[in-house]
Amino acid sequence: MQPIGERLREARMRQGVDLTEVEVATKIRAKYLRAMENDEFSMLPGSTYVKSFLRTYAEYLGLDAQLLVEEFRAQHEPRGEGEVQSLAPPTRASPTRDRRGPVGGPPFGPGTLAILAVLLVLGILAVIGLASGGGGDGKKQAANPAGRAKKHRGGKAKAKRHAATPTAIPRTAKLKVIPADTTYICVDDGRGTKLFEGTISSSQSFRSKHLRINMGRSSATLYLNGKRVSYPRTSAAVGLAFSRTGRVTPLAPGDRPCA
């Protein structure tokens, strides 16, 4: 019997058709057409593609496509593949069984049933826990209204205590003197101990529990513990006393330091 590929090639050459024209017309790549003409069917992707390409190519050349496909099956297709396809059992379910419904147990495996049982138990436990937890809280709240009121009053009293706590008093009074121009000052610790006497042209700071200052001019700016001090501005000398609580007291001429 003449090989399949030889018959394909002779038919194509009798019609004077090039492989390129066949490729365009059949959409089969030229290398696969050439492989079929050389009986090199193993170069094609698989027997299914071989039969499809062989049928298309034979019909294009006007040959008996079914005869060539049958010859390919007989000569080149593995025996096992044809047997598996022919002996494969039908996949349709038994109609008698469908009408009667399931005879055996449910369509679940033992593992699936075990998982469903565990989930069911967990759901029941969760519902019981939520119910008992919510009821317990409600009972505690209903049984102890006096405790809630006492706690509320205690919170209010604590807030009042915090609000009534006075601001911490500094341990010393810190006085900062910033002169507008050269100014004479005398500063002591309030008990006669002199801390400074002389003229200043830049800011000076002094620290003690009590401070007294005698200024020749009232043009200087004073800060006590970081807060600006407001005092009368006059053309005469000025005397002031300071405490660590922030109190500022004017001094009479005889009570001023270095007077």
Side-chain angles (χ1 to χ4, degrees):
M1 183 180 297
Q2 188 178 15
I4 296 174
E6 186 175 340
R7 275 180 280 174
L8 293 173
R9 185 169 51 253
E10 289 182 356
R12 177 178 61 82
M13 295 180 68
R14 281 197 305 269
Q15 298 178 22
V17 182
D18 188 71
L19 283 178
T20 304
E21 298 178 20
V22 180
E23 181 181 19
V24 174
T26 60
K27 308 300 180 183
I28 302 174
R29 298 175 63 177
K31 68 175 184 178
Y32 294 149
L33 296 172
R34 189 175 296 106
M36 287 189 290
E37 290 186 354
N38 294 330
D39 289 319
E40 296 175 347
F41 298 106
S42 60
M43 294 182 60
L44 276 74
S47 61
T48 302
Y49 286 92
V50 173
K51 288 179 283 188
S52 176
F53 290 169
L54 184 58
R55 184 178 288 106
T56 301
Y57 193 12
E59 290 176 353
Y60 174 80
L61 296 174
L63 299 176
D64 189 347
Q66 185 62 31
L67 177 61
L68 293 179
V69 170
E70 293 298 331
E71 290 183 10
F72 166 77
R73 286 176 177 172
Q75 299 176 10
H76 300 280
E77 190 173 40
R79 180 182 298 273
E81 183 176 352
E83 292 177 355
V84 169
Q85 293 179 354
S86 61
L87 297 178
T91 57
R92 294 179 58 188
S94 174
T96 304
R97 190 183 189 108
D98 291 341
R99 288 194 301 270
R100 291 182 303 172
V103 178
F108 301 108
T112 305
L113 293 176
I115 294 174
L116 292 175
V118 171
L119 292 176
L120 179 60
V121 172
L122 291 177
I124 294 173
L125 292 177
V127 172
I128 294 174
L130 290 175
S132 60
D137 292 342
K139 290 180 180 179
K140 289 181 180 178
Q141 292 179 2
N144 194 18
R148 295 202 308 273
K150 184 177 180 180
K151 183 176 179 182
H152 184 63
R153 290 196 297 271
K156 284 188 175 181
K158 188 175 180 182
K160 289 182 178 179
R161 287 198 301 272
H162 282 299
T165 303
T167 306
I169 299 174
R171 300 184 63 180
T172 59
K174 180 180 179 182
L175 178 65
K176 185 175 184 181
V177 183
I178 305 175
D181 47 20
T182 302
T183 304
Y184 166 82
I185 65 170
C186 179
V187 183
D188 69 4
D189 63 353
R191 293 177 296 181
T193 301
K194 190 184 300 182
L195 300 178
F196 178 84
E197 182 182 10
T199 57
I200 62 173
S201 56
S202 60
S203 63
Q204 296 288 336
S205 296
F206 308 94
R207 186 189 296 272
S208 181
K209 288 186 178 181
H210 300 277
L211 291 170
R212 296 189 305 173
I213 187 171
N214 185 12
M215 295 187 297
R217 297 180 181 180
S218 61
S219 59
T221 302
L222 305 178
Y223 288 90
L224 178 62
N225 295 332
K227 295 181 179 180
R228 185 168 181 171
V229 178
S230 177
Y231 67 95
R233 305 300 179 101
T234 66
S235 58
V238 178
L240 299 170
F242 308 95
S243 68
R244 60 193 179 95
T245 61
R247 183 178 179 181
V248 181
T249 305
L251 296 174
D255 297 332
R256 298 171 185 173
C258 304

